[in-house]
Amino acid sequence: MMHSAIHTARVREDDRYPSRHASRASVTPRQDPVVHGEAGDGPLTPSQLLFFQDNGYLSFDALLDPDAIRACQQELQRLRDDDRVHQADEAVIEPGSRALRSIFAVHRSSDVLRRLCQHPKLVAIARQLLGGEVYIHQSRINYKGGFRGQAFYWHSDFETWHVEDGIPAMRLVSCSISLTANTPHNGPLMLIPGSHQRYVACVGATPDNHYRESLRRQEVGVPDDASLARLVEDFGIAAPTGLAGHVTFFECNVMHGSNSNITPLPRSNVFVVYNSVDNRPEAPFCGLAPRPNFIAEREDFTPVPFPADSFGSTP
Amino acid sequence: MMHSAIHTARVREDDRYPSRHASRASVTPRQDPVVHGEAGDGPLTPSQLLFFQDNGYLSFDALLDPDAIRACQQELQRLRDDDRVHQADEAVIEPGSRALRSIFAVHRSSDVLRRLCQHPKLVAIARQLLGGEVYIHQSRINYKGGFRGQAFYWHSDFETWHVEDGIPAMRLVSCSISLTANTPHNGPLMLIPGSHQRYVACVGATPDNHYRESLRRQEVGVPDDASLARLVEDFGIAAPTGLAGHVTFFECNVMHGSNSNITPLPRSNVFVVYNSVDNRPEAPFCGLAPRPNFIAEREDFTPVPFPADSFGSTP
């Protein structure tokens, strides 16, 4: 039922990035700027802005104070030990065990993590990249244990946020703050640098091929093999690694994913998505009900407070 | 039934490496030499022998002629296209599709791959490491597609070969010849260098804890989390990467595994295990029937032919 609804829904006139409508994948050019601000608007240098423009991500080894990272590590431990947290809607519990995997909307529930999400150094970069005031579309803290950490398949966040949450334009940026070391071996974030310049529309599960093996394994919202192969052929793969405290900003449409983690080294991070206040969600483009507010903010668009004397107030 | 049989079987008097008998994992020191030959016995230099002694592996970027690699790549393609090959006992077919994943005993079925397994440069190294004549315990060609390549969990080959095939001593060496590039991203072989110096006895599935969650997920022959964490803490992880033609020798007891591969880049290799002619299999130490001959040779111990004028005949 859900699949046919998706299939038969007409593409809305205001949908510049239709996906999950057609029975064939398509790749079209991006229609929004990548960098929405200017060199003088914030802390990023012209070469950093160009790097982000070209690659769709930007990494920092020592952007934040080690004390801020330590506080978040302690907060993660506290949350993992708190039974009430496990029972909240915002919590994602590991299937088959009681272990906490993610908590959403931590900028609302935790003072420590709100301070991190609102950290002037992070917000200054988000404001510069998005060209003005930003609010938090989503935040979460992730804990992925070692030994049996699962892979996360390739996807563009924007594809989901557009189709399921109704975000109209590519004017969001994600920020991942590592609370553990990322090595080449423990399933680090992999990005296809440059892929943010193309929009890969995903195949909807149409009645015609519902029963075919290839589609039984392919979930909705997953890019097709041929488009992915072409992206990697054209652009390659990058996997920023670093110690705890490593920060990666990545553009909302950059294709990314991660392999499994059989090493004993767990991976945890805080993940926060900044959206431009001029890019508020509309009704989801798939025609279905929107996802819960703790996954995709659609009520409170208050700009993240930003000290007047911070970056960007003077050229 | 099988589990209780394993559990109740007494440890044989001649079993220097018991595993899958106890309800607790144990780590004991290796009881066999790592390098069985001498510096003058083959092409490996004293420093290469020391590296292997310390790390349990040794990699080469350009050991073999590119033509030999090309021939194997073509042979792999031919085998993948041949329907008769798919139906052989020796073939492992991808679950859910007809794609060929591995073919065992290729040194018997393919002239091209036998030539590779008997290549004097490989055999000279195996003879030097194992101290004398060698035969082929196992060979196979692997093809692991991109996008959905599965992880392969940590294991010591020797643990399995000892328990299930009856190999008495640590005097085998594996050789992996890459037919595609191994990058840090496409799920390359990971090794714990130094782990070959310890023997991790695995937990048997005992009736006491048959139903406990931890053991339902843990398969027989899998090292426990605490032992793995300790090994990685003490030794770290190495993942040799390289272009097609890259060769890695690794010791039979070195702990190794690989993460999943979501990249579009497939991985294929030829894998050959050399055993010393003085280390023939006995009855399996688990008390069960042995595995098929194409997985673990137990009939033909003919030494791999080695030209008299090759490495090792003169100091």
Side-chain angles (χ1 to χ4, degrees):
Chain A
M1 280 298 277
M2 201 181 84
H3 287 164
S4 1
I6 289 172
H7 178 56
T8 54
R10 269 174 191 274
V11 177
R12 265 160 53 185
E13 257 179 45
D14 61 338
D15 188 351
R16 297 181 305 141
Y17 297 110
S19 182
R20 311 188 199 176
H21 284 284
S23 60
R24 274 173 174 249
S26 70
V27 182
T28 51
R30 177 190 185 97
Q31 297 179 47
D32 293 296
V34 175
V35 175
H36 299 259
E38 308 278 326
D41 293 347
L44 298 180
T45 65
S47 85
Q48 287 174 316
L49 290 173
L50 265 178
F51 186 93
F52 188 84
Q53 169 78 31
D54 288 348
N55 295 284
Y57 77 96
L58 203 51
S59 283
F60 301 87
D61 275 327
L63 188 66
L64 302 172
D65 194 86
D67 285 343
I69 301 302
R70 236 177 333 261
C72 294
Q73 290 164 335
Q74 285 162 3
E75 181 69 351
L76 172 62
Q77 195 50 53
R78 187 186 70 77
L79 294 166
R80 293 183 71 213
D81 293 343
D82 184 341
D83 275 346
R84 287 165 308 175
V85 170
H86 291 227
Q87 281 146 27
D89 283 345
E90 288 81 355
V92 180
I93 306 295
E94 199 78 49
S97 82
R98 291 180 56 231
L100 194 65
R101 187 172 193 157
S102 299
I103 314 169
F104 279 89
V106 287
H107 66 292
R108 301 208 177 276
S109 58
S110 158
D111 289 336
V112 173
L113 299 175
R114 175 172 45 248
R115 271 198 294 278
L116 183 71
C117 295
Q118 298 189 346
H119 195 294
K121 285 201 176 176
L122 302 181
V123 175
I125 292 172
R127 287 168 62 106
Q128 187 177 11
L129 291 173
L130 301 181
E133 294 198 304
V134 301
Y135 72 94
I136 294 175
H137 173 69
Q138 181 190 97
S139 75
R140 60 178 199 261
I141 190 164
N142 297 311
Y143 178 86
K144 194 162 145 179
F147 303 109
R148 282 160 287 274
Q150 296 293 303
F152 211 112
Y153 200 66
W154 298 109
H155 62 287
S156 148
D157 287 332
F158 178 77
E159 197 270 349
T160 300
W161 297 340
H162 178 70
V163 172
E164 299 187 16
D165 301 334
I167 296 286
M170 293 181 185
R171 199 172 172 182
L172 313 86
V173 66
S174 298
C175 177
S176 169
I177 304 105
S178 299
L179 304 184
T180 50
N182 289 320
T183 80
H185 311 312
N186 69 346
L189 173 71
M190 297 191 292
L191 308 132
I192 305 181
S195 58
H196 61 300
Q197 298 286 11
R198 305 181 191 168
Y199 183 64
V200 180
C202 300
V203 172
T206 73
D208 286 341
N209 43 24
H210 238 158
Y211 300 101
R212 280 167 51 185
E213 177 66 21
S214 61
L215 275 181
R216 271 205 292 152
R217 292 158 141 238
Q218 184 141 344
E219 292 167 47
V220 171
V222 172
D224 62 297
D225 290 4
S227 302
L228 282 174
R230 180 65 194 270
L231 286 176
V232 171
E233 204 182 306
D234 290 351
F235 298 126
I237 292 174
T241 52
L243 301 178
H246 186 84
V247 171
T248 299
F249 281 86
F250 57 102
E251 210 281 329
C252 61
N253 187 47
V254 77
M255 198 63 80
H256 62 287
S258 62
N259 278 319
S260 64
N261 175 21
I262 67 167
T263 79
L265 310 169
R267 283 178 57 221
S268 62
N269 67 336
V270 177
F271 184 77
V272 52
V273 182
Y274 302 101
N275 190 18
S276 165
V277 293
D278 297 326
N279 191 32
R280 294 179 184 197
E282 304 168 3
F285 286 85
C286 61
L288 299 176
R291 302 193 296 173
N293 223 55
F294 62 82
I295 296 180
E297 184 60 59
R298 45 196 317 120
E299 284 171 12
D300 181 359
F301 307 111
T302 315
V304 179
F306 192 68
D309 59 348
S310 296
F311 310 97
S313 54
T314 52
Chain B
M1 281 297 278
M2 201 181 84
H3 289 164
S4 0
I6 289 171
H7 177 58
T8 54
R10 269 173 190 273
V11 176
R12 263 160 53 186
E13 258 179 44
D14 61 338
D15 188 351
R16 298 182 304 143
Y17 296 111
S19 183
R20 310 188 200 176
H21 284 284
S23 59
R24 277 175 171 245
S26 70
V27 181
T28 51
R30 177 190 184 96
Q31 298 178 48
D32 293 296
V34 175
V35 174
H36 299 259
E38 308 277 328
D41 293 348
L44 299 180
T45 64
S47 85
Q48 287 174 316
L49 290 174
L50 265 178
F51 185 94
F52 187 85
Q53 169 78 32
D54 288 348
N55 295 284
Y57 76 96
L58 203 51
S59 283
F60 301 87
D61 276 327
L63 188 65
L64 302 172
D65 193 87
D67 286 343
I69 302 302
R70 235 175 338 258
C72 293
Q73 290 164 334
Q74 286 161 4
E75 181 70 351
L76 172 62
Q77 196 50 55
R78 187 185 71 76
L79 294 167
R80 292 184 70 214
D81 294 342
D82 185 341
D83 275 346
R84 287 166 308 175
V85 170
H86 292 226
Q87 282 146 27
D89 284 345
E90 288 82 354
V92 179
I93 306 296
E94 199 80 47
S97 81
R98 290 181 56 231
L100 194 65
R101 187 171 193 159
S102 299
I103 314 169
F104 279 88
V106 287
H107 68 292
R108 300 208 178 276
S109 58
S110 157
D111 288 338
V112 173
L113 299 175
R114 176 171 45 246
R115 271 198 295 278
L116 182 71
C117 296
Q118 299 189 345
H119 195 294
K121 285 200 175 173
L122 302 181
V123 175
I125 292 171
R127 288 168 62 108
Q128 187 177 11
L129 291 173
L130 302 181
E133 293 199 304
V134 300
Y135 73 94
I136 295 175
H137 173 69
Q138 181 191 97
S139 75
R140 60 178 199 260
I141 189 164
N142 297 311
Y143 178 86
K144 193 162 147 179
F147 304 109
R148 282 160 287 273
Q150 298 292 304
F152 211 112
Y153 200 66
W154 299 109
H155 62 287
S156 148
D157 288 331
F158 178 76
E159 195 271 349
T160 300
W161 297 340
H162 178 70
V163 172
E164 299 187 16
D165 301 333
I167 296 285
M170 295 182 183
R171 198 172 173 183
L172 313 85
V173 66
S174 298
C175 176
S176 169
I177 304 105
S178 298
L179 304 183
T180 51
N182 289 320
T183 80
H185 311 312
N186 69 347
L189 173 71
M190 297 191 293
L191 307 132
I192 305 181
S195 59
H196 61 299
Q197 298 285 11
R198 304 181 192 168
Y199 182 65
V200 181
C202 300
V203 172
T206 73
D208 287 341
N209 43 26
H210 237 159
Y211 299 101
R212 279 168 50 185
E213 176 67 20
S214 61
L215 276 181
R216 271 205 292 152
R217 294 160 139 236
Q218 184 143 344
E219 291 166 48
V220 170
V222 172
D224 63 297
D225 291 4
S227 302
L228 282 173
R230 180 66 195 268
L231 286 176
V232 171
E233 206 182 306
D234 289 351
F235 298 126
I237 292 174
T241 53
L243 301 178
H246 186 85
V247 171
T248 299
F249 281 85
F250 57 102
E251 209 280 332
C252 61
N253 187 47
V254 76
M255 198 63 80
H256 62 287
S258 62
N259 278 318
S260 64
N261 175 20
I262 67 167
T263 79
L265 310 168
R267 284 177 57 220
S268 62
N269 68 335
V270 177
F271 184 78
V272 52
V273 182
Y274 302 101
N275 190 18
S276 164
V277 294
D278 296 326
N279 191 33
R280 296 180 183 194
E282 303 169 2
F285 286 85
C286 60
L288 300 176
R291 302 192 297 173
N293 224 53
F294 62 81
I295 295 180
E297 183 61 58
R298 46 196 317 119
E299 283 172 12
D300 181 358
F301 306 111
T302 315
V304 180
F306 192 68
D309 60 348
S310 296
F311 311 96
S313 54
T314 53

